[in-house]
Amino acid sequence: MSVLRVILADQLSAQLDVVAAAEKGVDVFLLAEVMAEASYVRHHVKKIAFLFSAMRHFAEALRIAGHVVRYVALDDPENAQSLDGEILRAVTALCPKRIAITEPGEWRLREGLEALRLALPAPLDILPDTRFLCSHADFNVWAEGRRELRMEYFYRYMRRRHRILMESDGKPSGARWNFDAENRKPPKAGLASPRRLSFRKDAITLDVLDLVRRRFPEGYGRLEPFHFAVTRKQALRELDHFIAHILPGFGDFQDAMVKDEPFLRHSLLSAYINAGLLYPLEVCQLAEQAFRKGLAPLNAVEGFIRQILGWREFVRGIYWRFMPGYIENNALGATEKLPWFYWSGETRMACMREALAHTHDHAYSHHIQRLMITGNFALLAGLDPKAVHEWYLAVYADAYEWVEAPNTIGMALHADGGLLASKPYAASGNYINRMSNCCRGCVYDPAASVGDHACPFNALYWDFLARHRDRFGGNARMPFVYANWDKMGAEKQTALVNQAQTHLVAMREGRL
Ligand SMILES: Cc1cc2nc3c(=O)[nH]c(=O)nc-3n(C[C@H](O)[C@H](O)[C@H](O)COP(=O)(O)OP(=O)(O)OC[C@H]3O[C@@H](n4cnc5c(N)ncnc54)[C@H](O)[C@@H]3O)c2cc1C
Ligand code: SF4
């Protein structure tokens, strides 16, 4: 044989060079389900099932297209249960002249490949991941010499570079780069998710569900109902459905949270884009077309494209520029253990319970729940960033370290010292009460800061600000909050700090 072409679980894209350049009937594709990857964190069982089923369907599509595929199932008795082990086993069996692989998204796998290279009898080609719209080199050129790395400027650079939502005079569509101010509406009465697609489970998916049930009995989360798209064709249907029916309302209530409505107007596309079933550029282009044809308003389309062309590419750039140290960051010296309720969902805080239930049942919660509920609580309570990072990496179907770590360590926890965000995303119960309808059903009172029924987010918020005054007191975006703190007077401040301690004790004892 000529080339052994290795495809990782999040590289299921026919456009990648490793696939597109293959010689039919000569080269061999290797896809392997291995325990080392399926268990290095306590992944959500839906995530494992989604990836195994999508891998098996991708392998099937390659075979139908005339390629030779070596597919190693988790239950294969010969399975070495690690990527290195499976590559070495295939090389020994097939004696390829070369081995080709797309660069992995995660640092630890990239490092592993460099080590494996030394043990391989044939050259290993690590090819760039061309699905991303900004290469490592281009990000570094953009970042070099800047005092601060801010997503907004990177996003403008990407809009110009890829000519997305740009007019012929070189100005952004609508003469503004950002329509965020129109996208932060609190939920209106009756706000609900439009109908979502649900895909029929075929024999491959049923086999995978059975496998996951047998092999991951202690896995986190609910396996069924299982509604994921597992082929590119299905993912494209999900994309078309989103563009036609949901995108027009994407912007307005982007930050809203509603009880029993996990999806609202969010796209649910991240798991598909990250695994390779959809391409980020095609997603942005389809959204732009909807705007050009008058089918979706600019605030919705711009808000959506910013997430993909801006945030998604930006966090990847940050990850690769600052790894391997990035995931060790703990700028705020946070050391609290992750409370058990992150896994069990058993807490009296209704907003947390809701976000954790979505996470457990769907391997999903939307951005504001991740940032302003579970992330905000972790920030205010001073939870250990490494433990929080491992939790986020485990529980969502779209989680891979390159995208999860900057969002968790940088955006949610400010543990990178402000590399990614100029101020911490800290908020009290007041914000949650405004942006959700959870507080109505909560034992805590969002208007109370001290006392038995005081909302924990309130005292923890003030205590957080007081604890970190040295760091944030001079922040140009935070003078009002510190002015409010100062206005309270010593007695109220002491009561808030004591109340925060009471909440932390309750958290440690599983009573919060
Ligand atoms: C603490 C924390 C952890 C996160 N972990 C992940 C993760 O592991 N994987 C992941 O893909 N996203 C992660 N995000 C970002 C974001 O929450 C998800 O991308 C989004 O919720 C996915 O749902 P959706 O497809 O319905 O997104 P939509 O709200 O419909 O957004 C559209 C698309 O934009 C992209 N996007 C939106 N926000 C971000 C962002 N901040 N960073 C990168 N891409 C973004 C996604 O591809 C998403 O599909 C995290 C955010 C936070 C605050
Ligand atoms: S009162 Fe506080 S804890 Fe309860 S739902 Fe509202 S913000 Fe969350």
Side-chain angles (χ1 to χ4, degrees):
M1 72 165 290
S2 184
V3 184
L4 177 70
R5 298 180 173 273
V6 183
I7 298 187
L8 302 180
D10 59 347
Q11 298 177 345
L12 308 179
S13 303
Q15 275 180 22
L16 283 171
D17 286 348
V18 80
V19 180
E23 209 179 325
K24 284 187 186 162
V26 178
D27 296 347
V28 175
F29 284 102
L30 170 66
L31 290 96
E33 300 167 1
V34 294
M35 206 39 132
E37 292 306 310
S39 63
Y40 81 98
V41 287
R42 192 180 165 216
H43 296 291
H44 198 296
V45 283
K46 271 196 168 89
K47 176 184 182 183
I48 301 174
F50 160 62
L51 286 175
F52 283 2
S53 180
M55 284 168 73
R56 290 182 185 199
H57 281 92
F58 190 75
E60 194 60 24
L62 287 173
R63 282 196 196 100
I64 291 169
H67 292 289
V68 183
V69 180
R70 178 182 168 102
Y71 193 94
V72 186
L74 194 78
D75 271 351
D76 185 331
E78 308 285 310
N79 191 329
Q81 301 298 356
S82 72
L83 279 173
D84 289 10
E86 276 312 305
I87 295 174
L88 282 169
R89 214 161 64 83
V91 168
T92 308
L94 302 168
C95 302
K97 288 205 191 83
R98 309 188 73 82
I99 299 123
I101 187 166
T102 306
E103 60 169 331
E106 300 195 349
W107 178 272
R108 88 196 148 83
L109 288 176
R110 184 76 169 77
E111 286 292 280
L113 280 184
E114 292 305 338
L116 178 68
R117 192 195 285 282
L118 305 174
L120 288 170
L124 171 69
D125 304 326
I126 303 179
L127 308 173
D129 190 336
T130 48
R131 293 170 299 181
F132 287 96
L133 303 171
C134 186
S135 67
H136 301 317
D138 286 346
F139 187 85
N140 286 333
V141 168
W142 174 81
E144 210 48 54
R146 284 175 189 264
R147 202 169 49 83
E148 286 182 331
L149 302 181
R150 290 293 165 249
M151 198 289 290
E152 187 60 35
Y153 299 106
F154 172 77
Y155 169 57
R156 293 177 192 184
Y157 157 78
M158 292 293 280
R159 289 263 299 271
R160 286 197 187 97
R161 205 172 146 191
H162 291 277
R163 294 183 213 286
I164 292 184
L165 289 182
M166 297 300 295
E167 299 305 319
S168 50
D169 60 3
K171 297 219 169 85
S173 301
R176 266 160 61 195
W177 291 103
N178 186 318
F179 291 80
D180 237 8
E182 292 164 38
N183 291 350
R184 295 202 173 121
K185 296 190 181 74
K188 60 179 181 188
L191 182 68
S193 176
R195 185 182 69 86
R196 313 302 299 217
L197 298 186
S198 167
F199 296 93
R200 199 178 55 81
K201 299 186 278 274
D202 65 3
I204 293 180
T205 299
L206 288 171
D207 273 357
V208 165
L209 291 176
D210 181 52
L211 171 82
V212 172
R213 225 175 274 119
R214 277 189 291 109
R215 298 295 302 273
F216 300 90
E218 306 296 322
Y220 169 75
R222 196 166 154 192
L223 183 58
E224 297 206 67
F226 183 88
H227 52 77
F228 283 86
V230 289
T231 63
R232 171 154 169 82
K233 201 167 157 197
Q234 291 177 337
L236 282 170
R237 274 183 56 205
E238 184 93 56
L239 172 61
D240 289 345
H241 179 78
F242 170 72
I243 299 280
H245 304 289
I246 301 169
L247 175 65
F250 178 85
D252 291 354
F253 299 104
Q254 205 180 326
D255 286 7
M257 295 170 277
V258 177
K259 187 162 165 30
D260 298 327
E261 291 289 346
F263 309 134
L264 292 172
R265 307 280 159 84
H266 292 273
S267 69
L268 316 187
L269 295 177
S270 52
Y272 307 135
I273 303 175
N274 294 352
L277 300 183
L278 295 174
Y279 298 101
L281 186 60
E282 73 184 342
V283 175
C284 292
Q285 286 171 338
L286 274 181
E288 176 168 15
Q289 271 174 33
F291 162 65
R292 301 270 175 218
K293 289 181 188 161
L295 302 175
L298 187 54
N299 72 307
V301 172
E302 187 283 312
F304 178 70
I305 287 178
R306 177 153 25 95
Q307 308 308 316
I308 297 178
L309 189 64
W311 277 113
R312 187 171 185 274
E313 296 287 331
F314 182 69
V315 297
R316 182 195 187 233
I318 293 281
Y319 176 78
W320 281 100
R321 192 169 165 83
F322 295 103
M323 278 299 280
Y326 195 79
I327 56 171
E328 306 299 329
N329 274 319
N330 190 357
L332 302 184
T335 53
E336 283 288 339
K337 261 177 70 181
L338 186 83
W340 180 244
F341 61 68
Y342 271 75
W343 294 108
S344 70
E346 288 164 6
T347 164
R348 283 149 39 99
M349 294 178 282
C351 54
M352 286 289 277
R353 221 168 41 234
E354 185 72 13
L356 293 169
H358 298 172
T359 304
H360 179 270
D361 290 354
H362 304 288
Y364 179 88
S365 70
H366 73 64
H367 184 66
I368 295 304
Q369 288 179 309
R370 296 188 205 193
L371 182 63
M372 300 310 293
I373 305 292
T374 44
N376 183 26
F377 182 85
L379 171 76
L380 302 183
L383 305 189
D384 173 14
K386 201 86 185 269
V388 181
H389 153 60
E390 282 175 10
W391 181 80
Y392 277 103
L393 191 55
V395 299
Y396 293 114
D398 58 22
Y400 303 88
E401 195 177 84
W402 66 266
V403 52
E404 174 278 328
N407 270 296
T408 304
I409 289 176
M411 194 186 298
L413 301 182
H414 210 82
D416 65 1
L419 200 67
L420 188 131
S422 56
K423 85 189 231 313
Y425 284 90
S428 67
N430 187 27
Y431 169 87
I432 298 171
N433 192 26
R434 191 169 70 248
M435 297 309 295
S436 83
N437 61 359
C438 287
C439 300
R440 276 180 235 153
C442 187
V443 295
Y444 297 111
D445 176 359
S449 296
V450 289
D452 287 348
H453 293 288
C455 166
F457 283 87
N458 291 338
L460 288 173
Y461 170 77
W462 289 115
D463 183 56
F464 169 83
L465 292 172
R467 258 186 359 254
H468 297 293
R469 187 165 196 156
D470 284 353
R471 181 177 283 271
F472 300 126
N475 188 310
R477 297 181 64 194
M478 301 175 72
F480 295 118
V481 287
Y482 280 105
N484 283 340
W485 171 252
D486 290 337
K487 263 191 252 152
M488 283 177 195
E491 198 178 327
K492 188 158 181 202
Q493 288 174 348
T494 307
L496 285 168
V497 169
N498 290 341
Q499 180 71 52
Q501 288 312 310
T502 306
H503 292 316
L504 290 177
V505 171
M507 175 188 84
R508 291 176 201 129
E509 293 175 355
R511 292 184 285 107
L512 199 60

